[in-house]
Amino acid sequence: MTKITIAIDGFSSTGKSTVAKRLAAELGYVYVDSGAMYRAVTLYAMQHGFIETDCFDKEGLISNLDHIKISFKFNPEKGFAEVYLNDENVEKNIRTLEVSKFVSQVATVSEVREQLVLQQQNFGKDKGVVMDGRDIGTVVFPDAELKIFMTASAEKRAKRRYDELRERGDEVCYEDVLHNVQTRDHIDSTREDSPLVMADDAIKVDNSNMSLEEQFEVVLELSEEKIKLQHKKKRH
Ligand code: DC
């Protein structure tokens, strides 16, 4: 069957990754969590003193970008590819509220974006990829056959994120998580380089009142339609 490129963009904590992972597994596609790549760069910056409480040494990070190697390795137990920073599995360490607090700032740096976008385009060069992020349908794969834009109210998203963090044992309070979600929305949507905007040809899915199952069904149906259409086009 013909393979397509599926771009899933949207605000933070809209459940993009959960749906994208499951969709990739269902279609036999590669899943790439582009947000994890920005998070890994942020973790590196924190570990190497380029980010401290109120201070972000952007130039220091830029001059060290060559020392950052990000890769993904499939974990058969979990059923998806986990992210590695310089060969160390950082899948859990990149999901803390600390990293979430700084990642949007790191993602405004054009030098970081340039490097990560090239790597993302390389991951998708053979199609058969589901990638989620903020600029996948607009910058990374402007020609993606299917573009989905996920959205939900900030409160719903914060509640989901809060539950997730508590479940893994992180001591966080709901107000902090909500504040982080709103701040990131603002930074992500107003930055100069590749801001979060819906591509003209994207399909909007508001999942404020949808279960994960319903979301998945919607996205799977859209994907199957596009794959069939693309298959027909190729045969004619
Ligand atoms: O999807 P996420 O919440 O893990 O993403 C973390 C941050 O990375 C998000 O606040 C913005 C940034 N990001 C981006 O700028 N471009 C992407 N393609 C993916 C994420």
Side-chain angles (χ1 to χ4, degrees):
M1 198 65 163
T2 309
K3 294 204 167 191
I4 64 167
T5 301
I6 302 177
I8 305 187
D9 287 305
F11 293 102
S12 63
S13 308
T14 39
K16 299 184 300 288
S17 325
T18 311
V19 168
K21 259 179 215 160
R22 209 174 139 190
L23 181 67
E26 179 79 25
L27 299 174
Y29 279 23
V30 171
Y31 164 63
V32 180
D33 176 353
S34 69
M37 300 170 75
Y38 289 94
R39 285 173 180 273
V41 173
T42 306
L43 183 66
Y44 178 93
M46 289 165 74
Q47 288 172 340
H48 291 79
F50 302 122
I51 288 177
E52 273 156 17
T53 320
D54 296 316
C55 158
F56 172 30
D57 174 7
K58 192 166 125 179
E59 296 311 320
L61 175 63
I62 292 172
S63 59
N64 273 274
L65 282 178
D66 285 351
H67 300 131
I68 305 181
K69 187 184 115 194
I70 296 169
S71 51
F72 287 91
K73 276 189 208 143
F74 188 76
N75 179 336
E77 270 170 37
K78 296 213 174 138
F80 66 91
E82 294 181 312
V83 67
Y84 284 70
L85 170 61
N86 292 334
D87 298 319
E88 186 195 337
N89 185 332
V90 290
E91 188 61 38
K92 185 156 187 240
N93 302 355
I94 58 163
R95 313 270 169 209
T96 61
L97 193 53
E98 271 322 284
V99 171
S100 298
K101 278 183 183 155
F102 293 106
V103 64
S104 281
Q105 279 186 61
V106 171
T108 62
V109 181
S110 296
E111 287 81 353
V112 171
R113 302 202 70 83
E114 231 167 80
Q115 188 155 314
L116 296 187
V117 166
L118 280 178
Q119 203 179 343
Q120 289 154 7
Q121 287 170 334
N122 197 40
F123 286 141
K125 68 180 183 333
D126 299 324
K127 296 202 173 277
V129 68
V130 182
M131 194 174 295
D132 75 330
R134 303 293 188 286
D135 60 343
I136 310 305
T138 50
V139 176
V140 181
F141 299 123
D143 298 328
E145 289 83 357
L146 177 61
K147 299 180 187 178
I148 290 167
F149 192 86
M150 294 260 213
T151 176
S153 73
E155 288 74 17
K156 281 265 160 88
R157 290 185 281 128
K159 176 71 173 64
R160 290 176 190 155
R161 189 98 194 106
Y162 170 79
D163 289 344
E164 224 173 83
L165 289 165
R166 295 293 289 213
E167 203 167 293
R168 51 174 249 172
D170 288 7
E171 287 293 323
V172 289
C173 83
Y174 171 77
E175 281 68 29
D176 275 357
V177 178
L178 176 62
H179 181 251
N180 175 253
V181 161
Q182 290 168 328
T183 309
R184 280 207 284 150
D185 284 358
H186 179 72
I187 302 177
D188 293 348
S189 321
T190 55
R191 69 177 174 228
E192 262 180 44
D193 190 346
S194 322
L196 168 65
V197 281
M198 184 168 126
D200 293 338
D201 50 350
I203 298 164
K204 190 172 182 172
V205 177
D206 184 335
N207 63 34
S208 300
N209 297 310
M210 277 186 200
S211 67
L212 273 177
E213 194 58 38
E214 285 166 334
Q215 254 186 91
F216 176 68
E217 290 302 325
V218 168
V219 172
L220 179 63
E221 202 179 312
L222 289 170
S223 306
E224 285 174 343
E225 270 170 25
K226 279 284 175 192
I227 292 169
K228 270 190 211 139
L229 193 76
Q230 207 53 29
H231 194 66
K232 267 194 199 155
K233 269 193 196 166
K234 275 210 157 172
R235 290 176 54 194
H236 288 293

